[in-house]
């Protein structure tokens, strides 16, 4: 299957999960399931944008009284009157606010240039009641949660982040210490938590599974989650048991192999209970390429988000694509994509200093335009 087709198919396979209601403190990074409506005007009344005096008339003004943030709205000012106000305090009907630094107060008499309506946040200036301030599908970043709080929300209905369980296979893997003859350090396990989070998922468990066929089938059957990631069993070697395990469990395979380098041996399947399985290659850079190719679009679909849009940049060096699609680690600077090198399927050095994959379908000269996909 072609790389672009695999991305589209994976996104379409990710049917949006049922919505849930979360407290604001729990909703960071989630996706709004419905528009966020203004429950009341924001601000609710005219408020001062500065510390100073609210005034009415051309001045000078006679100052009487003070209003602080949280006080009830004061009565309207008479012509020639002023009232001391704090930032955020409701202001009486008048002609604006004179900041402290712009006025001269002698006794109770204030002189200054007339403010001509300045330094007042008018009621409903930010939004009127029943205004949609965020669309459904918006990602709840910190500023969005702050806006929801300012509007009076305590909970929000969201499309939840998909839960992801990772099964890292391989009898040769070490989880600590230095590698040695016949043993290699697991690099995919440490890669997954941050990458899954950046792709919009929530890694709920990471388990190491031996190379016995029954071990992988049993782990898949009991893994839980909305998406199960496996690594190191997706090819067709003597220790690659994903295809057999999926068949034993009655899974429907959507594709088995993508025409991309690195990352060709990747699999997408759906288990009878609806859980999705993405089989990642066992080589680290190939696994990262498969995460970008398949897991990213799939998680976007599960979270109700659109298929991630690819960027564009110009290559600083000529790169040969070869057959199919080639993903090349690059560093992006001012619209330029500089290959970082060390791009073999088993290597991570190039990806560690990269922030994107250049997506090449044809040989591309220096200065040529290429699509780019973030490296998480």
């Amino acid at each position: 299957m072609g790389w672009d087709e695999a991305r589209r198919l994976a996104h379409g396979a990710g049917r949006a999960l049922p919505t849930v209601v979360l407290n604001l403190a729990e909703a960071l990074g989630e996706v709004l399931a419905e528009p966020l409506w203004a429950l009341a005007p924001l601000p609710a009344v005219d408020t001062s944008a500065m510390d100073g005096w609210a005034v009415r008339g051309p001045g000078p003004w006679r100052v009487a009284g003070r209003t602080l943030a949280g006080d009830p709205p004061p009565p309207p000012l008479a012509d020639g009157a002023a009232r001391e106000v704090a930032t955020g305090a409701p202001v009486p009907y008048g002609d604006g606010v004179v900041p402290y630094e712009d006025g001269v107060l002698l006794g109770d008499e204030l002189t200054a240039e007339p403010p001509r309506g300045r330094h007042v946040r008018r009621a409903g200036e930010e939004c009127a009641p029943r205004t949609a301030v965020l669309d459904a599908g918006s990602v709840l970043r910190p500023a969005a949660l702050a806006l929801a709080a300012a509007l009076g929300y305590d909970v929000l209905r969201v499309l939840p982040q998909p839960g992801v369980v990772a099964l890292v296979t391989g009898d040769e893997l070490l989880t600590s210490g230095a590698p040695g003859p016949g043993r290699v350090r697991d690099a995919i396990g440490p890669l997954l938590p941050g990458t899954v989070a950046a792709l919009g998922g929530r890694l709920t468990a990471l388990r190491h599974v031996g190379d016995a066929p029954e071990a992988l089938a049993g782990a898949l059957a009991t893994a839980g989650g909305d998406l199960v990631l496996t690594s190191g069993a997706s090819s067709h070697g003597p220790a690659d048991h994903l295809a057999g395990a999926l068949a034993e469990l009655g899974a429907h395979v959507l594709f088995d192999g993508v025409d991309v380098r690195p990352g060709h041996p990747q699999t997408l399947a759906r288990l009878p209970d609806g859980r999705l399985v993405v089989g990642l290659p066992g080589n680290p850079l190939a696994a990262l390429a498969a995460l970008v190719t398949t897991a990213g679009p799939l998680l976007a679909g599960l979270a109700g988000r659109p298929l991630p849009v690819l960027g564009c940049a110009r290559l600083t060096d000529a790169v040969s694509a070869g057959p199919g699609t080639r993903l090349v680690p690059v560093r992006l600077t001012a619209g330029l994509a500089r290959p970082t090198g060390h791009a073999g399927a088993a290597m991570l050095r190039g990806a560690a200093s990269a922030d994107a994959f250049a997506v090449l379908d044809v040989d591309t000269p220096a200065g040529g335009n290429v699509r780019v996909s973030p490296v998480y």
Side-chain angles (χ1 to χ4, degrees):
M1 178 170 291
W3 188 78
D4 288 286
E5 185 182 358
R7 292 182 76 240
R8 288 191 295 268
L9 194 154
H11 182 259
R15 301 158 191 162
L17 299 172
T19 63
V20 297
V21 175
L22 296 179
N23 295 323
L24 294 190
E26 302 171 315
L28 180 64
E30 307 288 359
V31 174
L32 271 178
E34 56 195 15
L36 185 69
W37 298 92
L39 303 177
L42 192 65
V45 298
D46 290 355
T47 57
S48 178
M50 301 285 286
D51 294 325
W53 302 272
V55 301
R56 186 174 182 186
W61 305 274
R62 192 71 60 189
V63 178
R66 173 187 293 169
T67 303
L68 301 177
D71 289 346
L77 291 168
D79 200 41
R83 187 177 185 90
E84 190 175 13
V85 292
T87 301
V91 295
Y93 175 78
D95 295 329
V97 171
V98 175
Y100 284 143
E101 57 267 29
D102 293 345
V104 176
L105 183 64
L106 296 175
D108 63 355
E109 184 178 88
L110 173 67
T111 57
E113 287 291 323
R116 297 183 176 85
R118 290 183 299 161
H119 309 306
V120 176
R121 292 187 64 211
R122 300 297 178 186
E125 177 181 302
E126 186 165 1
C127 54
R130 299 306 300 165
T131 301
V133 296
L134 284 176
D135 295 330
S138 299
V139 178
L140 289 168
R141 298 183 175 91
L145 293 177
L147 174 61
L151 292 169
Y153 284 87
D154 298 311
V155 298
L156 295 171
R157 182 169 293 279
V158 301
L159 290 161
Q161 291 180 332
V164 179
V165 174
L167 306 176
V168 179
T169 71
D171 291 336
E172 76 282 10
L173 297 179
L174 296 170
T175 58
S176 63
R183 305 299 299 274
V184 296
R185 184 70 182 268
D186 171 28
I188 294 178
L191 175 74
L192 290 176
T195 305
V196 168
L199 292 171
R202 179 172 45 88
L203 190 67
T204 60
L206 191 153
R207 296 166 52 191
H208 287 83
V209 180
D211 282 330
E214 62 274 10
L216 181 56
L220 281 170
T222 60
D226 303 300
L227 167 62
V228 182
L229 297 176
T230 69
S231 73
S234 61
S235 190
H236 302 286
D240 294 316
H241 303 303
L242 179 60
L246 292 173
E248 180 181 333
L249 296 173
H252 170 60
V253 177
L254 285 81
F255 59 74
D256 182 15
V258 177
D259 192 9
V260 63
R261 294 178 300 125
H264 166 262
Q266 54 183 289
T267 302
L268 174 61
R270 190 187 303 276
L271 294 169
D273 60 9
R275 288 177 299 141
L276 291 148
V277 178
V278 171
L280 307 175
N283 283 318
L285 187 61
L288 181 59
L291 286 165
V292 169
T293 300
T294 301
L298 178 56
L299 287 168
L302 287 169
R305 293 182 281 112
L307 180 67
V309 176
L310 302 180
C312 184
R314 289 187 297 115
L315 277 177
T316 61
D317 304 273
V319 178
S320 173
T325 298
R326 184 179 176 194
L327 302 183
V328 179
V330 294
R331 186 75 183 173
L332 298 177
T333 306
L336 298 177
R338 184 178 302 278
T340 57
H342 304 284
M347 298 179 179
L348 282 173
R349 183 175 168 184
S353 58
D355 49 23
F357 277 125
V359 182
L360 277 70
D361 298 307
V362 296
D363 294 350
T364 305
N369 289 324
V370 291
R371 297 181 295 165
V372 290
S373 176
V375 169
Y376 299 97

